[in-house]
Amino acid sequence: MRIALNPIQWMASDDGWLDPSKAPERKQLLSLIKKSGFDAVMAEVPADWTVAQYQSVLDEVGLTLAPGYFVCRSDGQDGNESTVIESAAATARQHAELGMTEIGLGLAMGKDKPRVAHPGQAYDADPARVEAVTALIGKIADTMTAEGVRPNLHPHIGTWIETEEEGRAVLDAIPASRLGFLPDTGHLAWAGSDVGAFIKDYAERIPFVHVKDCRLSVAKQGREGDWGYQQTVMAGLWVEPGRGELDLKGIIGNLPSTFDGWLMVEVDCPDITDPYESAVASARWMRAEYGG
């Protein structure tokens, strides 16, 4: 298995959200990722960089790329569908230029979203909305695969595709040739999924996994108390791999023995306060368990 980092711990803000402006300048950040013990990083070309410039800096610091992520900023019913599809095509072309063939695909999670106020509870579940989202994801999949890049569904807390039931509905409606599966151990666990079983059922569609650890006790307390996303995070939900209450080794063990994809660490809000030390601890645990 190959190990990578999405360096969001450098973006964690004091209010339980993510603030990209908190991260170091991009070349410095990439250098810190390499120094911390990771050899690969999630693909994300800075807005003011060319693909060639990005690749040059990666080569200079000694990092390779793991698949990136596309955010679908539409629910399929708001009139923004065409804009989202155009953006998906541009992102896929950029990914293809980087030599990538897979990318994550999830819905947007904003502070004003209803499920962000009621995370992990399938708040205001609506099969008709899931159908509309599925139709849009199908169009995005057609657009991206035409560019040589397959999107992979990423059920995400606080979005309209949050639960295992919703994720399965989308995956069952769109064939694997057009849509893979990107499970996130922490988001799915927070939403009450049997993550290992979910991964096992769709294992052949998984090219990479977002590896998050969390305190299930905090997630349970948040659901029962109807806490919002930020309140739950600030209560200590997220932790570095191996420091929480998820059986990560058991969950990841449901991948096939032939799996040669990416295990991508994400620590949305570091339990180890210093983001660099958080990355060091994450790399150490991942390498001890999975090599690479």
Side-chain angles (χ1 to χ4, degrees):
M1 298 182 186
R2 295 174 286 175
I3 299 167
L5 178 69
N6 178 7
I8 50 179
Q9 58 260 73
W10 273 276
M11 306 172 199
S13 55
D14 293 338
D15 64 353
W17 205 247
L18 293 176
D19 178 3
S21 70
K22 289 177 61 66
E25 174 273 327
R26 186 55 62 112
K27 183 176 178 180
Q28 180 186 1
L29 175 60
L30 294 172
S31 297
L32 288 169
I33 293 166
K34 175 67 176 180
K35 182 181 176 183
S36 73
F38 286 93
D39 293 326
V41 64
M42 186 186 82
E44 185 178 20
V45 182
D48 57 344
W49 286 18
T50 65
V51 169
Q53 182 182 3
Y54 181 53
Q55 187 64 65
S56 176
V57 173
L58 289 166
D59 292 343
E60 183 179 344
V61 302
L63 286 174
T64 58
L65 287 176
Y69 191 71
F70 176 74
V71 179
C72 172
R73 302 187 184 282
S74 172
D75 64 359
Q77 300 172 310
D78 55 12
N80 295 323
E81 296 88 342
S82 60
T83 300
V84 167
I85 291 170
E86 290 174 7
S87 179
T91 301
R93 284 192 293 271
Q94 189 182 65
H95 239 55
E97 190 175 346
L98 287 166
M100 314 298 292
T101 58
E102 307 280 354
I103 190 170
L105 168 62
L107 272 63
M109 188 188 76
K111 290 183 180 180
D112 60 340
K113 301 292 185 180
R115 284 192 170 181
V116 171
H118 309 278
Q121 302 177 54
Y123 180 80
D124 194 23
D126 182 356
R129 186 191 297 112
V130 173
E131 288 183 11
V133 170
T134 301
L136 176 56
I137 289 174
K139 293 175 182 177
I140 291 171
D142 289 342
T143 298
M144 287 188 149
T145 54
E147 301 289 346
V149 178
R150 184 181 69 159
N152 293 266
L153 181 71
H154 180 56
H156 195 294
I157 208 79
T159 75
W160 296 125
I161 304 299
E162 176 183 67
T163 67
E164 180 174 337
E165 181 181 4
E166 291 161 346
R168 286 177 180 269
V170 178
L171 290 168
D172 291 347
I174 302 173
S177 60
R178 295 164 58 208
L179 184 70
F181 178 34
L182 166 56
D184 182 302
T185 58
H187 282 292
L188 289 172
W190 186 354
S193 172
D194 182 339
V195 186
F198 197 2
I199 286 176
K200 186 174 183 178
D201 286 349
Y202 295 87
E204 299 302 325
R205 294 176 73 161
I206 300 173
F208 64 120
V209 177
H210 282 181
V211 178
K212 280 191 180 72
D213 206 343
C214 68
R215 296 184 174 100
L216 293 171
S217 53
V218 174
K220 180 175 183 290
Q221 189 177 3
R223 286 194 303 270
E224 292 176 349
D226 195 25
W227 294 354
Y229 175 88
Q230 290 168 273
Q231 182 180 359
T232 308
V233 169
M234 292 172 69
L237 177 76
W238 301 123
V239 291
E240 291 74 18
R243 294 171 59 92
E245 297 167 7
L246 282 186
D247 177 14
L248 287 177
K249 290 185 284 185
I251 290 170
I252 294 169
N254 286 279
L255 292 166
S257 59
T258 55
F259 180 79
D260 63 352
W262 293 97
L263 300 178
M264 184 179 295
V265 175
E266 290 188 332
V267 184
D268 295 44
C269 184
D271 190 51
I272 299 172
T273 306
D274 181 83
Y276 172 74
E277 294 300 334
S278 169
V280 169
S282 298
R284 184 182 300 120
W285 190 86
M286 293 295 292
R287 286 182 179 277
E289 297 299 333
Y290 300 106

